[in-house]
Amino acid sequence: LVPLEVASLDTLARHEVVLNRVYASVANRCWPDIGRALSWLAALEARGVRCVNNLQASQADYDKHLAAGLLARQGVSTPPTLRLRHRADVEAQAATLAAWGWPRVLKRATGGRGVDVRKLDNEADWQASLNLLLDQGGLGQYGGALVVQPFLVSRRPHDLRIAIVNDQLAYAWRRSLVATQAGGPAWLGSVSAGSTFEPHEPSPAEIA
């Protein structure tokens, strides 16, 4: 196991297989490191090195906007998702955002553990979050984009994680949903925020 900061691309390229373990949930503090990992995966694959968590898989893991588009193209129901990096992006999408109404969910395009995930119920909440995250640099060293989605009420008290390998079910589990405000509705799936893991027996429709 070699940290990205001290790894050498030439050294990695001498191996037949490279396992990329830079997961978005722990790497979300620094976008440049994520970009570096993706560029190395591209270079390794160009040299014929097999990569576990390869370039395509890692790009989808690191970019919620890209992942939403891939899901939609595969026929998987997913909320419409907009990428925001500057105030100009917000202004360009003003008509779409207005049509969505409230609530909305704003979060990092890359990351996990519930970091900077916000359910915004009105214009005042929206502007306050944009002011902090976009205008005042509230994202710190992360440096990546945000995504915004209309808030959809879950039909289940949990979310699902289902792994498919070669079109076959590998495993499945779920996380309970938790509230982010005292007395508020349970809507967020995040172990860091208090969700619990549970086994899940997926239905044929969920597997499909």
Side-chain angles (χ1 to χ4, degrees), residues 65-153:
H65 183 261
L66 173 63
L70 292 172
L71 288 169
R73 287 194 288 276
Q74 292 295 326
V76 179
S77 178
T78 190
T81 304
L82 300 177
R83 187 198 306 272
L84 306 176
R85 186 178 289 276
H86 307 288
R87 276 283 182 172
D89 300 327
V90 181
E91 296 167 2
Q93 301 291 349
T96 299
L97 293 168
W100 287 356
W102 308 100
R104 301 170 190 164
V105 174
L106 184 68
K107 54 190 172 184
R108 297 182 180 196
T110 298
R113 300 183 178 179
V115 176
D116 284 323
V117 179
R118 299 163 181 243
K119 177 175 172 282
L120 307 174
D121 295 315
N122 51 57
E123 184 70 25
D125 290 345
W126 170 249
Q127 292 299 332
S129 291
L130 292 179
N131 180 56
L132 173 64
L133 298 178
L134 285 182
D135 299 340
Q136 297 183 16
L139 292 170
Q141 292 183 341
Y142 161 56
L146 302 171
V147 293
V148 59
Q149 301 167 318
F151 176 77
L152 303 182
V153 177

Side-chain angles (χ1 to χ4, degrees), residues 16-197:
E16 294 183 6
V17 178
V18 169
L19 170 62
N20 172 34
R21 296 190 66 240
V22 186
Y23 299 127
S25 60
V26 294
N28 60 14
R29 298 174 184 84
C30 185
W31 178 255
D33 281 351
I34 294 170
R36 184 181 178 196
L38 293 176
S39 68
W40 281 25
L41 287 171
L44 289 169
E45 291 180 13
R47 298 187 190 189
V49 178
R50 290 178 294 167
C51 298
V52 180
N53 297 322
N54 65 7
L55 177 62
Q56 183 181 32
S58 296
Q59 286 173 324
D61 186 39
Y62 293 162
D63 188 337
K64 293 181 174 69
H65 183 261
L66 173 63
L70 292 172
L71 288 169
R73 287 194 288 276
Q74 292 295 326
V76 179
S77 178
T78 190
T81 304
L82 300 177
R83 187 198 306 272
L84 306 176
R85 186 178 289 276
H86 307 288
R87 276 283 182 172
D89 300 327
V90 181
E91 296 167 2
Q93 301 291 349
T96 299
L97 293 168
W100 287 356
W102 308 100
R104 301 170 190 164
V105 174
L106 184 68
K107 54 190 172 184
R108 297 182 180 196
T110 298
R113 300 183 178 179
V115 176
D116 284 323
V117 179
R118 299 163 181 243
K119 177 175 172 282
L120 307 174
D121 295 315
N122 51 57
E123 184 70 25
D125 290 345
W126 170 249
Q127 292 299 332
S129 291
L130 292 179
N131 180 56
L132 173 64
L133 298 178
L134 285 182
D135 299 340
Q136 297 183 16
L139 292 170
Q141 292 183 341
Y142 161 56
L146 302 171
V147 293
V148 59
Q149 301 167 318
F151 176 77
L152 303 182
V153 177
S154 176
R155 291 179 289 181
R156 305 180 180 94
H158 54 259
D159 69 359
L160 300 178
R161 295 295 176 95
I162 300 176
I164 305 295
V165 178
N166 294 330
D167 295 327
Q168 299 297 315
L169 173 68
Y171 60 85
W173 49 266
R174 65 194 186 201
R175 297 178 299 188
S176 62
L177 302 182
V178 297
T180 53
Q181 294 179 332
W187 66 276
L188 177 66
S190 170
V191 173
S192 298
S195 296
T196 57
F197 282 117

